[in-house]
């Protein structure tokens, strides 16, 4: 056995013979195959955009049952509903518990304001449920129903992203692995698709939206790096889904859609990006999606949740400290707390003084206005009385002295006796 010292101080040993721990990945593989895997996938898009068809095509199974057509007289459902369905599927002895979460009603209303809110609440409630299970005393059986990936269906308008597309991705990109796809890509030409993809990526970058992208590291072989680079070049994926088999001119049956001008093959990379989407989602990056959900998205949510609940990380645990230094820090913290309380009390006192002064000033203004109004009324009444007095004096006839004293000065009739 030879030893070399690394930069970190850890010695690297070279084995002279076979010990057996290199077989550990095979042990993990056998245990994983025995237990099976869970994968939770959410699909979001308008009704009739092809969500059920694409999921059934991806897993080559009837995950979504055929939906009954609603009669024309039936009233459409209001709001966004969040439903889930699970299926146990098996491939080459590997079991997969697949859960697909559907969001019927999204984008179907005239007013789609806050249409993403029920979806966001559902995703956060799954995080909360997992966090509650982690905090239990007995954690032997933890059920994980967190969303591993969200396939967001973009309507093939050929223009740029709509407001509802941008708002939805901005609200959820920090909670889930977003995978945007262009639905019903066979409605656009190749040149229109390329231009549409460029506009979508420009909008995503402009609004700072994070979408899931495969990342290569130093441990990946050249073939994996090339595959990741090719997958990146196809984002957002332009896909076509179909559960039906159609006849090709050479007589072979393929899954696709038949048109008068030709056939669109689902599993033909020259026709659409379905194969690249399936490769990233299921064949090469399923574990990366689950790891990103567990170690990045959930951890960020968990940290924010615990901090909002008042939990604070104590970095002094299991660390040596000086008691005198700790006492000094506590004294400073107490003084800072007292200063803060004094400042808050002074601010409250000043606020109450300002409120009292404002009320007194308002009362003073009201009294002044009332006094001015009463003064105006009295002046008006005085003016009216003066005018009445003048009119009365001008219209009255002068009174003679005789009228003032009717008996005074009246002469006696000397001939009254005759």
């Amino acid at each position: 056995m030879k030893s070399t010292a690394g930069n970190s101080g850890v010695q690297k040993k070279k084995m002279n013979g076979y010990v057996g721990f290199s077989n550990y990945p095979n042990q993990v593989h056998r245990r994983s195959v025995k237990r099976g895997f869970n994968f939770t996938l959410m699909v979001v898009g308008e009704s009739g955009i092809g969500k059920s068809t694409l999921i059934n095509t991806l897993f080559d199974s009837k995950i979504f049952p055929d939906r009954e057509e609603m009669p024309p007289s039936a009233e459409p459902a209001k709001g966004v509903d969040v439903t889930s369905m699970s299926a146990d599927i098996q491939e080459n002895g590997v079991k997969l518990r697949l859960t697909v979460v559907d969001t019927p009603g999204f984008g179907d209303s005239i007013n789609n304001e806050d249409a993403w809110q029920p979806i966001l609440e559902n995703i956060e409630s799954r995080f909360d449920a997992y966090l509650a299970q982690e905090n239990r005393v007995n954690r032997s059986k933890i059920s994980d129903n967190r969303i591993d990936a969200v396939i967001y269906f973009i309507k093939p308008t050929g223009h740029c992203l709509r407001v509802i597309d941008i708002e939805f991705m901005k609200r959820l990109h920090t909670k889930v692995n977003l995978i945007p796809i262009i639905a019903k890509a066979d409605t656009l030409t190749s040149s229109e698709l390329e231009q549409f993809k460029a506009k979508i990526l420009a909008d995503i970058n402009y609004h700072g939206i994070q979408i899931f992208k495969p990342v290569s590291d130093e441990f990946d072989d050249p073939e994996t790096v090339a595959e990741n680079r090719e997958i990146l070049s196809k984002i957002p994926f332009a896909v076509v889904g179909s559960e039906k088999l159609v006849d090709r001119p050479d007589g072979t049956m393929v899954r696709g859609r038949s048109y008068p001008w030709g056939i669109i093959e689902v599993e033909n990379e020259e026709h659409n990006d379905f194969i690249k989407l399936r490769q990233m989602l299921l064949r090469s990056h399923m574990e990366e999606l689950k790891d990103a959900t567990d170690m990045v998205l959930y951890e960020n949510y968990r940290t924010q949740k615990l901090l909002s609940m008042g939990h604070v990380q104590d970095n002094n645990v299991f660390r040596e400290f000086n008691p005198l230094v700790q006492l000094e820090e506590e004294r400073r913290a107490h003084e800072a707390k007292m200063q803060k309380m004094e400042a808050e009390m002074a601010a409250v006192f000043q606020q109450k003084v300002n409120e009292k002064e404002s009320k007194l000033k308002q009362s003073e203004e009201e009294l002044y206005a009332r006094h001015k109004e009463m003064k105006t009324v009295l002046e008006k009444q005085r003016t009216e009385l003066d005018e009445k007095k003048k009119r009365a004096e001008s219209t009255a006839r002068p009174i003679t002295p005789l009228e003032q004293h009717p008996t005074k000065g009246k002469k006696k009739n000397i001939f009254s006796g005759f």
Side-chain angles (χ1 to χ4, degrees), residues 41 43 50-61 63 91 151 153 179-186 193 197 230-231 233-245 254-257 264-284:
L41 182 65
V43 290
K51 295 176 292 183
S52 303
T53 302
L54 180 63
I55 294 300
N56 292 341
T57 308
L58 273 173
F59 295 95
D60 196 15
S61 179
I63 305 297
E91 181 183 39
I151 299 180
F153 289 70
I179 303 176
I181 69 170
I182 302 173
K184 298 184 177 181
D186 52 345
L193 274 176
K197 283 187 176 184
E230 191 172 355
I231 290 174
S233 66
K234 299 296 183 180
I235 296 175
F237 302 99
V239 299
V240 176
S242 177
E243 302 176 58
K244 298 181 181 179
L245 298 176
V254 294
R255 186 184 285 108
R257 294 181 178 273
I264 292 289
E265 299 179 19
V266 173
E267 296 179 293
N268 189 332
E269 293 191 46
E270 295 181 357
H271 293 182
N272 69 101
D273 304 328
F274 173 81
I275 290 181
K276 293 302 179 186
L277 172 64
R278 184 176 62 187
Q279 178 181 349
M280 186 191 78
L281 189 64
L282 304 177
R283 296 183 178 179
S284 60

Side-chain angles (χ1 to χ4, degrees), residues 156-341:
T157 60
H159 304 293
C160 54
L161 289 177
R162 300 171 300 169
V163 175
I164 187 175
D165 301 328
I166 296 172
E167 287 298 323
F168 174 83
M169 290 192 282
K170 284 175 63 177
R171 305 277 179 165
L172 271 73
H173 73 112
T174 58
K175 301 292 193 303
V176 291
N177 295 307
L178 272 177
I179 303 176
I181 69 170
I182 302 173
K184 298 184 177 181
D186 52 345
T187 60
L188 300 174
T189 64
S190 300
S191 59
E192 289 174 340
L193 274 176
E194 289 191 8
Q195 295 176 5
F196 192 32
K197 283 187 176 184
K199 292 177 181 178
I200 292 174
L201 290 176
D203 287 341
I204 287 175
N205 293 331
Y206 177 79
H207 292 282
I209 298 171
Q210 302 173 13
I211 60 176
F212 179 79
K213 295 179 180 179
V215 179
S216 301
D217 54 34
E218 57 182 357
F219 300 104
D220 291 332
D221 52 53
E223 183 180 355
T224 302
V225 174
E227 288 179 356
N228 289 343
R229 190 179 297 113
E230 191 172 355
I231 290 174
L232 279 172
S233 66
K234 299 296 183 180
I235 296 175
F237 302 99
V239 299
V240 176
S242 177
E243 302 176 58
K244 298 181 181 179
L245 298 176
V246 296
D247 291 323
R248 294 178 61 183
D250 58 2
T252 57
M253 302 287 289
V254 294
R255 186 184 285 108
R257 294 181 178 273
S258 179
Y259 295 97
W261 44 265
I263 295 175
I264 292 289
E265 299 179 19
V266 173
E267 296 179 293
N268 189 332
E269 293 191 46
E270 295 181 357
H271 293 182
N272 69 101
D273 304 328
F274 173 81
I275 290 181
K276 293 302 179 186
L277 172 64
R278 184 176 62 187
Q279 178 181 349
M280 186 191 78
L281 189 64
L282 304 177
R283 296 183 178 179
S284 60
H285 293 84
M286 177 183 283
E287 185 63 22
E288 289 186 20
L289 288 167
K290 294 178 69 66
D291 286 346
T293 300
D294 183 44
M295 296 186 292
V296 180
L297 301 172
Y298 169 70
E299 282 300 320
N300 291 338
Y301 177 84
R302 177 179 176 275
T303 301
Q304 296 175 2
K305 186 74 173 182
L306 293 178
L307 289 175
S308 65
M309 294 171 61
H311 295 274
V312 180
Q313 181 71 32
D314 188 1
N315 296 322
N316 294 323
V317 178
F318 305 116
R319 189 181 68 179
E320 295 183 0
F321 62 92
N322 188 337
L324 297 178
V325 175
Q326 184 182 9
L327 289 174
E328 181 65 20
E329 290 178 355
E330 291 178 354
R331 184 185 65 79
R332 292 177 181 177
H334 180 71
E335 290 179 355
K337 183 178 180 181
M338 295 301 296
Q339 291 177 0
K340 182 180 178 182
M341 291 177 62

